[in-house]
Amino acid sequence: TPRKKWVRNPGQFIFVQPVGNSAPTKTNKLLYGSAVGYGLVQGGGAFVTKVHARSVQTILAKLGYLDAELNSDLHEAIEVFCTRGGNARALREMGIDPTTGKDIDEQLEMMRSALAN
């Protein structure tokens, strides 16, 4: 059978792998194979979205940080997302902290940069 080469992301897609943050019970570790497996299942599954002007808002909404009712403040959604354990660690490793942006446009640009990498 012929093998196809994987093509690198040309920069127009964002891959998101949500991970739950609740500690698994011993039973859940056994059921899902590990704490990591449990976290992946709790996260609800990976998804891909195209990079566009509102991609940050789309991702934050899909992850539950932003909606039209109780969580409608974009600045607050970015701050909460950026301070969550795994997110904060990953952003720190990239040297990016969107919460330091002077205004919402700068924060959005930092978030787009982080999510696209």
Side-chain angles (χ1 to χ4, degrees), residues 26-102:
K26 187 175 182 177
T27 302
N28 282 336
K29 280 185 187 177
L30 290 172
L31 183 63
Y32 297 107
S34 67
V36 172
Y38 176 73
L40 293 172
V41 171
Q42 290 301 107
F47 63 93
V48 174
T49 186
K50 287 189 102 174
V51 175
H52 55 84
R54 295 185 49 82
S55 54
V56 172
Q57 292 92 322
T58 300
I59 291 167
L60 290 174
K62 188 157 177 101
L63 295 175
Y65 292 95
L66 187 65
D67 62 43
E69 295 174 20
L70 298 175
N71 305 310
S72 61
D73 184 327
L74 181 56
H75 173 75
E76 184 179 328
I78 289 171
E79 189 164 325
V80 172
F81 174 86
C82 292
T83 57
R84 298 294 300 258
N87 299 338
R89 190 176 322 106
L91 290 166
R92 211 172 24 254
E93 289 172 4
M94 287 188 272
I96 298 173
D97 183 1
T99 63
T100 63
K102 295 179 191 119

